[in-house]
Amino acid sequence: MKKTDLKATLALLAAMIIWSTSFVALKATFRTYDPMFVIWGRQILASFLFLFVIKKLWHKCEYRKGDIKYLLLMAVFEPCLYFLLEAMAITNTTASQAGILTSTLPILVAIAAFFTIREKTTVTTWLGLLTAVAGAVMLSIYSEVSESAPNPVLGNFLEFCAMICATGYTISLKSLSRRYNPFFLTAFQCFIGSVFFLPFIFISGKGFPKEFVLLPAMGIVYLGIIVTIGAYGLYSVGISKVRATTASAFVNLIPVFTMFFGWIFLDERMNFIQYCGCGMIFTGVYLSQRRR
């Protein structure tokens, strides 16, 4: 494996592990704070930290006339629409099931990449993606509904819609990452997201929280720094060095990691068939990364 490929693989793998913990963190913080406040809190915290380095990041970018519309399109897809849908999804389904549905992203990206940026896909890649999705279906079918999932069907549908938005984000990010610093793109997302989600705090009718609860508040800090800056930055680094389809295939690992962290922190259990589904997901990711 080339050094560049290894760097991209490690960056994408680390991003998937961190992202998988975000479902658990969101589920836990939503129990105390309004979902819109949590989403806004993570965006504004990351934006504040990026203010200290934004000029340095900008100097590493190559702006071209008309790029602003693509930057805004990327931010509209994610974080705006994506987090809005995911927040509603997490309140209606379990963290594990939401994580499971992320496995649909590679298929959606492969289809979108074929029609938009003309990325070719091999038979082995499609076989790997289909194997991974089949494993995710096994996980989903045999997932147990808990009291924290009042409407899992609606929640899972909203999470699938979020994956459609993530597809648009991935394609936009792939095009922009050729000329823009990965962490600048992450910073741009955070700035737009902090403005976009602020009105929703008041639209929900709850406004800013009236009391401070330490553990959920630390969850927002974790989401803002480790997940928003760390995971998105690592994903941007990875996707700048590999094909969009290849990068999105790593998303198939999120369901497995999410099931594990859900078991550890939320006591969400897995059965034997779900473990088999996890094995299929790992197999699918391996097949997706094979070259001719």
Side-chain angles (χ1 to χ4, degrees):
M1 181 181 291
K2 296 181 180 180
K3 184 177 181 179
T4 302
D5 293 341
L6 178 60
K7 181 179 179 180
T9 299
L10 293 176
L12 290 168
L13 180 60
M16 297 309 110
I17 294 175
I18 295 173
W19 259 333
S20 66
T21 64
S22 70
F23 292 96
V24 178
L26 285 171
K27 193 70 177 180
T29 54
F30 285 176
R31 293 173 179 175
T32 303
Y33 294 118
D34 177 64
M36 291 297 101
F37 173 76
V38 173
I39 300 301
W40 176 80
R42 67 184 290 186
Q43 297 296 315
I44 196 66
L45 177 60
S47 297
F48 176 75
L49 295 177
F50 272 125
L51 285 176
F52 296 97
V53 295
I54 191 63
K55 288 185 178 180
K56 183 177 180 180
L57 296 176
W58 173 249
H59 290 318
K60 298 180 180 180
C61 301
E62 181 188 343
Y63 180 80
R64 294 180 183 176
K65 185 178 179 180
D67 276 358
I68 185 62
K69 60 184 179 182
Y70 298 111
L71 288 166
L72 289 173
L73 180 64
M74 176 194 70
V76 167
F77 279 129
E78 195 167 338
C80 297
L81 294 179
Y82 176 83
F83 282 139
L84 191 63
L85 290 166
E86 187 171 79
M88 293 186 291
I90 291 294
T91 57
N92 286 282
T93 190
T94 63
S96 298
Q97 291 186 66
I100 287 165
L101 286 169
T102 60
S103 64
T104 61
L105 180 60
I107 287 291
L108 297 174
V109 170
I111 295 173
F114 176 78
F115 288 105
T116 57
I117 56 179
R118 303 303 179 185
E119 281 196 357
K120 295 182 179 180
T121 55
T122 65
V123 174
T124 304
T125 299
W126 281 103
L127 178 62
L129 295 176
L130 292 174
T131 302
V133 170
V137 170
M138 290 177 62
L139 282 171
S140 183
I141 291 175
Y142 292 95
S143 296
E144 296 181 0
V145 179
S146 66
E147 294 181 0
S148 61
N151 194 341
V153 175
L154 174 61
N156 291 341
F157 172 73
L158 292 172
E159 185 64 29
F160 179 76
C161 292
M163 289 303 103
I164 296 177
C165 295
T167 301
Y169 164 74
T170 301
I171 298 300
S172 302
L173 180 65
K174 178 60 180 175
S175 300
L176 291 168
S177 63
R178 299 188 183 99
R179 304 190 307 277
Y180 288 86
N181 179 277
F183 286 96
F184 171 82
L185 295 175
T186 305
F188 185 84
Q189 290 177 258
C190 294
F191 293 144
I192 297 298
S194 61
V195 174
F196 177 83
F197 285 104
L198 181 58
F200 285 95
I201 298 177
F202 302 97
I203 292 174
S204 65
K206 296 183 179 180
F208 290 103
K210 297 179 175 58
E211 61 178 351
F212 175 82
V213 184
L214 180 59
L215 193 58
M218 292 304 295
I220 297 177
V221 174
Y222 174 80
L223 288 166
I225 298 177
I226 305 300
V227 178
T228 301
I229 296 179
Y232 275 89
L234 289 168
Y235 186 68
S236 296
V237 170
I239 200 172
S240 67
K241 300 180 182 301
V242 299
R243 291 151 51 101
T245 306
T246 300
S248 64
F250 276 81
V251 177
N252 286 306
L253 295 173
I254 292 180
V256 179
F257 293 132
T258 303
M259 292 291 288
F260 174 74
F261 290 120
W263 169 61
I264 294 294
F265 296 106
L266 300 177
D267 198 31
E268 295 178 353
R269 305 288 181 172
M270 288 195 301
N271 54 45
F272 175 75
I273 298 180
Q274 288 176 310
Y275 280 115
C276 293
C278 292
M280 291 182 66
I281 290 175
F282 278 114
T283 302
V285 171
Y286 169 73
L287 290 174
S288 298
Q289 305 315 302
R290 289 187 62 187
R291 296 182 177 180
R292 289 183 180 272

